[in-house]
Amino acid sequence: VAAPDVVVSASVVIIALKALAKSNSDPELALRAYTIISQFCPNIRMGALIYGLLIEVLATGGCVEEALTVLHEMEEEGHRPYETTYVMLVTACERGGMWRRSLSILEDMR
């Protein structure tokens, strides 16, 4: 994949992820966008808001494992998830029959 010729701002990334979340778009598209942002847009600081939006798109799209992976990456980089991020993950785990993981996430919220 060639590097894009445009400079992308954090605002553009946030708007795009919000649009994906609202449209219940394909979570694979969110993963591709995240990969492109990570590889080709080093000026984008992946803050709690961008991570949270990505987790929302993945979790609501049924990609629970991927959403949990992004959560771990977020935490490793020192960002604390918003409460709504935890709620989305707990809900997604519950829907996916991952009740033990839901309990673990609730414990992490303490």
Side-chain angles (χ1 to χ4, degrees), residues 19-54:
L20 284 172
K22 284 185 179 181
S23 69
N24 291 322
S25 186
D26 182 0
E28 291 298 318
L29 185 58
L31 281 176
R32 285 186 54 214
Y34 174 68
T35 301
I36 291 169
I37 292 163
S38 300
Q39 291 178 354
F40 302 117
C41 304
N43 60 322
I44 299 296
R45 187 168 168 266
M46 293 294 289
L49 178 59
I50 294 176
Y51 274 120
L53 288 169
L54 180 60

Side-chain angles (χ1 to χ4, degrees), residues 72-93:
H72 292 300
E73 181 180 323
M74 175 184 189
E75 292 172 333
E76 285 176 4
E77 290 193 15
H79 300 289
R80 178 137 174 87
Y82 297 111
E83 288 179 17
T84 54
T85 303
Y86 284 119
V87 169
M88 271 182 232
L89 285 169
V90 168
T91 302
C93 287

Side-chain angles (χ1 to χ4, degrees), residues 52-74:
L53 288 169
L54 180 60
I55 290 168
E56 177 183 354
V57 171
L58 294 171
T60 56
C63 295
V64 180
E65 291 299 329
E66 292 85 348
L68 292 170
T69 299
V70 173
L71 174 69
H72 292 300
E73 181 180 323
M74 175 184 189

